[in-house]
Amino acid sequence: AMLMAQYDLRTLLTDARIEFILDQLRTNASAAPNDTGPLLLLAFVHYNTNAPTRAREFLERAAQIDPNDTTAKTMLDHWPTNATSSK
């Protein structure tokens, strides 16, 4: 249920902290290209910082890596990621 809600992470974290988190997740995703975890977390952060288009890109990559994992598909089905992004 927590994944289905949308939060405003920018009210909880500074921009610098969000960028640090994104950088760490990108590094983790590059280091483990077959691990969907960092991609799902990247999608979560982008979705919750008003960047739904970027969120969709990461969800689609995760779904390609592991088509049997229902998490990315569920997020794609329930998140409105077709909206115009500010990022």
Side-chain angles (χ1 to χ4, degrees):
M2 286 187 67
L3 289 177
M4 296 305 118
Q6 188 169 18
Y7 306 93
D8 185 0
L9 291 181
R10 294 197 187 280
T11 63
L12 302 171
L13 303 168
T14 65
D15 286 343
R17 187 67 180 157
I18 290 169
E19 282 307 312
F20 175 80
I21 292 167
L22 289 171
D23 287 342
Q24 291 296 304
L25 290 170
R26 283 186 211 105
T27 298
N28 292 348
S30 294
N34 293 322
D35 184 0
T36 60
L39 297 174
L40 294 173
L41 290 171
L42 280 162
F44 180 84
V45 173
H46 282 293
Y47 180 68
N48 289 291
T49 55
N50 197 30
T53 303
R54 291 290 291 149
R56 173 170 279 288
E57 291 169 12
F58 287 111
L59 290 176
E60 289 172 346
R61 282 178 53 195
Q64 286 177 337
I65 289 169
D66 187 356
N68 296 319
D69 184 350
T70 60
T71 305
K73 180 166 179 8
T74 300
M75 293 162 89
L76 281 166
D77 289 344
H78 289 87
W79 283 359
T81 57
N82 291 330
T84 301
S85 172
S86 64
K87 293 271 175 188

